[in-house]
Every structure is written in C-alpha cells, then in structure tokens.
Amino acid sequence: MGNDIKERSRITVLTRLAAVLVLIWSVIGIAPAASHAGPRVVADWPIIDARCAPITPQGLVGYGCHKLSTYLQEARLDLRYNRPPKTTDKLYTNVRGNYAIAQLQDGKYIIGYSDGAKHAEIRLIEQMQGKAPRIEFDPKTGKVSYQPAKASPIKEGYSEIEPCKKTCNPALENAKVRDKFTYSYRWNAAPGEDPKVLRDQTNNRNTGAKQVAVQTLLNETKASGPILPKSPEELAKGSAVSKAAGKQMGPIRPGGIDFSSVQLRYVTDGGGSGGDTYSFETATTPGQESKDGTDQIYDADEALNTWMAVEPSRFWVNLNPSQPDKVIDQYLGRTEVGRILLEADLELKRAWTRFQDPKTAVGLEYWNRMTGLDGACIRQWIVPKTATIREEGNRLYILDAPLEVKAEAFDFTIPGDPDFKCPANPEPSMAVYRDLLLPELNKAVNDAPGFKDLRRVYISRVAAEWYRGRMAADGRAADAGIDSNDVSTLEREDDWNPVDVFNQYVKEISGTTYELPNGVQVTTGGVDFTQPVKTTKLSDTTFKEQHAALPTTVDRSLTEVTRSSDEKQAYLGGADEIPDFVGLNKANPAPSGPAGGGGGGGLPITGSPILTIAAVGVLLILIGVAALWRTRRLRWVVK
C-alpha cells in the first residue's frame, strides 16, 4: 500500500505542474512566431549537391546546392513544361526572369517571380502576409499551383539573384525576414565595381551566369515532355481569353463560323480587380465547317499586352534596302506583334507587284498610262486611320478600325547593285500610281486575307490605347508595366529572325513573274503605328440607331457563342474569374501593420484569427480543469 501511495504522489506533483503550465499557456495564447528568434546561422543550410562548395559567410549559395534552390529548379521545370498554351500569366512565361522561393512556418513552399511590375521577393512577402493568393510548390509532386491566400511567417527563403538594394532589401528588412534569405548570383556592386558590368555577368540574356544555368537546366530536361494543350473544359474555367477559346473548341462546336478571323471588339476595365471581360467578333460562313481560331484568340490578347508594355515610339518596322540595320525595334522584334508587322510590310510590297501584273485589268491600264514615263522609286507604308469607338463607363466597343497605305517618291540604293539609280523625275509616275494602284492596296490591307493578322493586332492596339489612358489617369500604369519595354513574357519561342524577312525582300526587289513593259520598279516603306490612336466616339443616338442590338449580343457572348441579328457575324467572349478567396480576404483581412504589432482581425505575424485562438484557449482551459480534477481524485485515493 505504501508503494502505491508513493507512486501516486509523484503523479500528483507532475500532474499539478502540467495543470499550471496548461493554464498559463491558455492565458498567453500561441507562442511568438519563429521570426522573433535570433538571426539564422548561414552555415546551417543543408548542402544537397556534393559537387557544390559550402555556403559562404556572405550568404551566397550554389545554384542547386541546397533544398530551396533545388525545389525552385523543379518548380521552374513544372512551369516551363506544363504551362497552359498561349498563357500570358507571367508566372509561367517568365522563363528568363528571376524567381524566388520560401518555406513558410506552416510547412508550405511558395514561389515569387519578377516582372516589370514587382520583384520576386515582394511577391513572397505579399503571400507571407496573406495579401495575395499563394503560389505553392509541392515537393512531393513537383507541381506549382495557385492556392487561397493565408498568412504565415517565412521560415527560410532563397532568390536566384541577390535582392536589390533599392527595393527588395528594404522590403525584406521591413518584413523582418532579410536574414533568412540566401541567393546564388550577385546583383549589388561593391565599392569600386561597375554595376553594369556585374549585372551583365549575372543576367545577360545570352551569356549571364544565371541565364546560362537556367538554359542548361531547361535543355537537359527536355525529356520532361512538351507543353501539352489543355482540354476545352479546362480552358473554359480560366481567364476570359481562355473561356473564349474553349467555346469554339468544345465538342458541340457551332457550325458555319470562321473563328480564325476573330478580332477583339469589346473590352471592360475591372480597375485592377481581375474582373475584365473580352468579346471577339468573327465572320459567319453559312453551310461551311467552322475553322478553329484558338491561336488567333490568344494572339489578339498577347498583342494587347505587347502594345501596353512597349513604348509607342517603338511601334515601327522598316523594309528599306538602304537600311539593313534598321529593320525593326529591338524590343518589338522579340514579340509576335513585331513578326506580324514586318511580314505585313513584305506582303504590302508583294501586293504592289501583283497589282502591276499586265495580265490583270488594273495592271494593264497602269502600264498603258506609264508609257513614256520614267517610273519612280516609291516608299509606301501602312498607318492607322481614325477608329470608331463607343465608350460607356468601363466598357469599350471597337466598331471600326481601318488602316491606310501612304506613298511618296523616295530615293534609295540597293545593296550589291551599284548601277541602280532611282528616276530623276518621279512625280508623273507617282500620279498614275496614286490613281490606280493605291486604292487597290488600301482595299487589300483592310479586306484581303494576307493582312488579316495585321488587322487583328491593330484592333488590339486600339483597346490598349484605351487601357493606357485609364491606367495613367488612376495611377495603375507603373504597376501594370506600361511603357516598361519588358517583353520577357511576350517573347516568341520560335527561331524567326527579322533579318530573314529583310533578305527575302532584297531578293525579291528585282524579281518578277512577268515581263514589265517599262523596266523594273522597286519599293520600300514599312508599318508605322508610332502615332497615338485617333478615335471618333459615337453619340448615344447614333450608337442606338446603328448598333442597337450590339450590347445584348456582346453580353450573351460572354457565356455562349452568339450570332449578330443579321447573322453575318458571331461573337464569343468570356469574363475573368475572381477567386472566391478574394472575398474571404476582405471579410477577414490579414494584419497590415509591422511585424509584432496588432492590426486587422488577426495576431501579429501569424495572422491567426482571434476566434480561432479563443477556441484553442477554451480547449486548453478545459484540459487544465480536467487535470486539476485528476489531482483531486489522486489525493482522495491517498487519503
């Protein structure tokens, strides 16, 4: 009996101690987050790849040398090889940009990326604070996915490039997580170093250490598979543009519609909330099988983004035999829009030659009237005419967006042909040209299939100009990357080269499929979209008279393919989905104050809801009461 009482006495003491601790714990709540702890020891980082040197005291790490950088490489591969087709989401397309990764206190891993609007580290901080949806990486599956916003402190972080002194370092320090980050490649110059040289060594798109490492990563893992297109059902769940594409790809595709001729005709501005809508117009082809327009829909959207990212002064291309070094702007030339503009210029030169063919009525009359004239070297180029629009609040209808061909006599030389000279008296020939050929060219650029892509991207330019004006007025332009010339997410992935188009043009200058009665004429020019878009706005009365059914047709097109009242056009569109968790965030905001301070409806750093903490506290108190009752019972047994 004595031994039994002695053992129970020990249990009594331990139980009393546990009860006191439980009660204290229930009063103070959850312990402070780990971010309050002292600075992390850099040497504690695990080394994954044995070939890599140990981490330096300055915090530099080898690319792929520890857990986070290895995970980030896996995330890059998933984003690269499993991205949605034609997506404009910079998370997926920012192949050459900078990425960062962090492990949160709750055990999840999140991804950040840099673009013209924000740095990768800033996006990590926003996710840590619960201010943005999480971009999570799952090490078990190797997959990246969007998840609802949820605050949790950063436990450790890694960025491919050293956080910049001007923006990222201060942001990380303010969030009290700078000491938790390491990186692979330097960005900030030390005293005596040339910042430009250092950054070029790190991030030059062709020779930079980081860029070469990324390219090596992608090249060595192509076996991971191609970028597979998603099903129509999956596309229909995404952005407004994806929804439009999904409608004309579905199993019950509407017949008699040429979706390949789509043009963006209606947009709305959600003010940055992600609630934009788009509708595309296309021609009906009664009695014929429908043509797929998936690529064209995405091209129109990509053109919209290109026109906003690149400065308007760069919206030009130029096929001039005397200027082989001035074919296209360096930024525009990396985009699909640049390719379309330059190839449209070449098509303009070819159309000019076709209209001169004496086997056609126009060509025969042209050469008859050219008899006895000296001919001319002609510069011809394409410019926008005034677009007709209708604006209603945050809605824009693009009703007409015509193009125009300009022409003038122009003196130039041809590479490799020193004997070539332009006629000295071109004006009589120019009069014939303007009277007969120029009208044909204007009709072609506005109606012919060869200029269909040019017309499509120009209409996107009209929409982009409208967005530009609205974003500049309310201060969104900088965050949206307007005029940033950041085309890293808009670059083509093919091997198209502007020089090839120029060389083909020079080759065709003196080539012809027929014998000219009066010698060979040549032409040069370009496409010039550098000037602001000119628009004329329809009044309420005129809009109702001419387009009374259009608003209803467009609204219906957001949910189904809809034909116009005269059955000559069809519209298809969509609306950007706003995730449900955006509303939840507004109802229960994460703290916005500095770390360690109160604010919002949650606790500092953790962002845990007060009701949750209260529930946990009540539970712990009940456990404490139960423990005290247990000590009372043990005492009674002893007695």
Side-chain angles (χ1 to χ4, degrees):
M1 184 69 177
N3 289 336
D4 187 24
I5 293 176
K6 185 177 182 181
E7 181 64 29
R8 287 177 177 173
S9 297
R10 290 175 183 167
I11 293 175
T12 299
V13 173
L14 294 175
T15 305
R16 286 177 176 174
L17 178 60
V20 172
L21 292 175
V22 168
L23 287 172
I24 293 174
W25 186 270
S26 68
V27 173
I28 66 172
I30 292 178
S35 60
H36 291 298
R40 175 189 51 77
V41 179
V42 176
D44 288 342
W45 282 87
I47 303 297
I48 302 300
D49 190 340
R51 296 170 299 176
C52 297
I55 298 173
T56 68
Q58 291 76 25
L60 272 68
V61 297
Y63 194 78
C65 290
H66 66 75
K67 177 180 64 178
L68 288 185
S69 61
T70 300
Y71 284 172
L72 187 56
Q73 289 183 76
E74 294 176 16
R76 265 187 173 278
L77 294 177
D78 180 59
L79 294 171
R80 174 65 176 84
Y81 290 104
N82 296 293
R83 70 184 185 183
K86 294 288 185 177
T87 181
T88 57
D89 188 338
K90 295 183 179 181
L91 168 65
Y92 292 91
T93 60
N94 197 24
V95 176
R96 295 182 178 87
N98 186 47
Y99 286 78
I101 187 172
Q103 182 182 16
L104 300 175
Q105 291 286 4
D106 63 11
K108 300 295 184 179
Y109 295 86
I110 56 174
I111 303 294
Y113 62 93
S114 297
D115 60 8
K118 294 177 183 176
H119 291 278
E121 295 87 346
I122 304 299
R123 285 193 162 93
L124 291 181
I125 293 172
E126 290 178 344
Q127 295 177 63
M128 176 192 81
Q129 296 172 338
K131 295 180 179 179
R134 286 187 176 184
I135 306 172
E136 288 189 1
F137 171 72
D138 185 353
K140 295 180 180 179
T141 63
K143 299 295 183 182
V144 177
S145 63
Y146 282 103
Q147 299 295 332
K150 181 181 178 182
S152 180
I154 288 178
K155 180 180 179 181
E156 55 187 26
Y158 164 80
S159 181
E160 291 172 331
I161 293 181
E162 179 185 16
C164 61
K165 290 182 179 178
K166 183 178 180 180
T167 305
C168 298
N169 257 326
L172 292 170
E173 289 171 355
N174 290 337
K176 301 188 184 305
V177 294
R178 176 62 187 92
D179 64 301
K180 302 178 184 300
F181 274 77
T182 54
Y183 54 91
S184 287
Y185 301 101
R186 291 183 57 211
W187 185 257
N188 302 317
E193 286 188 302
D194 186 333
K196 186 177 183 305
V197 172
L198 173 64
R199 294 173 184 180
D200 192 62
Q201 291 171 349
T202 293
N203 214 35
N204 181 284
R205 66 180 275 109
N206 296 316
T207 61
K210 178 218 146 187
Q211 300 287 15
V212 170
V214 170
Q215 195 60 52
T216 301
L217 171 70
L218 298 178
N219 289 342
E220 291 181 351
T221 52
K222 286 182 178 178
S224 299
I227 305 172
L228 299 176
K230 288 182 176 292
S231 68
E233 292 75 20
E234 288 180 280
L235 287 171
K237 297 177 183 177
S239 68
V241 176
S242 294
K243 288 179 179 180
K247 286 170 189 170
Q248 50 91 43
M249 288 173 58
I252 311 178
R253 177 194 293 188
I257 300 176
D258 180 13
F259 291 107
S260 68
S261 65
V262 293
Q263 296 177 344
L264 182 64
R265 290 292 186 173
Y266 169 84
V267 298
T268 64
D269 179 15
S273 67
D276 298 339
T277 57
Y278 306 95
S279 187
F280 299 84
E281 178 195 70
T282 190
T284 58
T285 52
Q288 299 182 26
E289 187 173 328
S290 291
K291 294 181 181 179
D292 180 75
T294 304
D295 290 344
Q296 289 79 4
I297 292 171
Y298 282 111
D299 285 346
D301 178 61
E302 187 171 287
L304 175 67
N305 287 283
T306 301
W307 295 127
M308 290 194 289
V310 180
E311 294 174 295
S313 62
R314 300 178 181 275
F315 297 164
W316 59 266
V317 298
N318 175 53
L319 287 179
N320 184 333
S322 304
Q323 298 177 319
D325 57 342
K326 193 179 179 182
V327 175
I328 191 170
D329 173 77
Q330 60 172 325
Y331 295 109
L332 194 66
R334 288 151 56 184
T335 69
E336 183 67 8
V337 167
R339 182 193 67 78
I340 289 173
L341 263 62
L342 191 60
E343 293 187 351
D345 190 23
L346 180 59
E347 176 61 21
L348 179 67
K349 310 305 185 281
R350 290 169 171 169
W352 181 83
T353 302
R354 289 195 299 270
F355 290 136
Q356 291 183 79
D357 190 340
K359 295 178 182 178
T360 66
V362 173
L364 181 60
E365 183 178 357
Y366 173 77
W367 287 112
N368 286 337
R369 291 177 58 177
M370 286 288 289
T371 301
L373 301 180
D374 294 335
C377 290
I378 303 172
R379 177 193 176 218
Q380 50 192 198
W381 67 104
I382 303 171
V383 298
K385 291 187 73 173
T386 301
T388 303
I389 65 172
R390 168 66 177 173
E391 187 176 10
E392 295 178 350
N394 71 334
R395 294 181 169 209
L396 175 70
Y397 298 89
I398 305 172
L399 305 172
D400 191 25
L403 298 168
E404 182 180 13
V405 179
K406 296 281 190 178
E408 66 181 10
F410 188 69
D411 199 1
F412 59 85
T413 60
I414 297 179
D417 188 356
D419 297 328
F420 175 83
K421 292 183 179 179
C422 288
N425 183 25
E427 284 309 314
S429 298
M430 285 298 300
V432 178
Y433 170 81
R434 293 190 185 99
D435 188 34
L436 289 177
L437 298 189
L438 197 57
E440 297 296 326
L441 288 174
N442 274 293
K443 188 185 301 182
V445 297
N446 285 290
D447 298 314
F451 296 93
K452 183 165 58 177
D453 290 344
L454 179 67
R455 293 192 293 271
R456 179 182 301 111
V457 300
Y458 172 59
I459 290 179
S460 292
R461 167 85 199 281
V462 177
E465 198 79 0
W466 182 72
Y467 277 120
R468 276 174 171 273
R470 293 177 65 88
M471 290 180 176
D474 62 17
R476 287 180 288 149
D479 287 342
I482 301 294
D483 293 343
S484 65
N485 294 321
D486 178 8
V487 294
S488 58
T489 64
L490 301 165
E491 292 183 352
R492 299 179 320 278
E493 293 189 355
D494 55 30
D495 57 358
W496 178 84
N497 191 332
V499 176
D500 295 336
V501 179
F502 176 82
N503 291 338
Q504 182 64 28
Y505 168 58
V506 172
K507 180 180 177 181
E508 295 179 10
I509 281 180
S510 299
T512 181
T513 57
Y514 50 84
E515 183 179 352
L516 300 181
N518 197 39
V520 176
Q521 308 295 305
V522 291
T523 175
T524 182
V527 179
D528 183 6
F529 285 178
T530 60
Q531 299 303 312
V533 175
K534 297 179 181 179
T535 59
T536 180
K537 298 181 180 180
L538 287 192
S539 65
D540 291 348
T541 302
T542 305
F543 183 69
K544 289 177 181 178
E545 289 176 353
Q546 299 179 358
H547 307 279
L550 184 58
T552 302
T553 301
V554 166
D555 287 343
R556 284 185 58 196
S557 76
L558 302 182
T559 55
E560 61 181 310
V561 176
T562 306
R563 285 177 169 82
S564 59
S565 55
D566 61 4
E567 296 286 326
K568 292 183 179 180
Q569 288 86 31
Y571 290 79
L572 66 162
D576 285 331
E577 287 183 347
I578 303 178
D580 293 338
F581 52 78
V582 172
L584 294 177
N585 286 344
K586 291 179 180 178
N588 185 23
S592 58
L603 294 180
I605 305 269
T606 66
S608 303
I610 290 176
L611 289 177
T612 302
I613 300 304
V616 173
V618 170
L619 178 61
L620 290 173
I621 289 174
L622 292 176
I623 294 173
V625 170
L628 286 175
W629 176 84
R630 173 64 176 166
T631 61
R632 293 263 183 183
R633 185 170 178 274
L634 287 173
R635 275 185 187 170
W636 181 80
V637 171
V638 171
K639 290 180 180 178

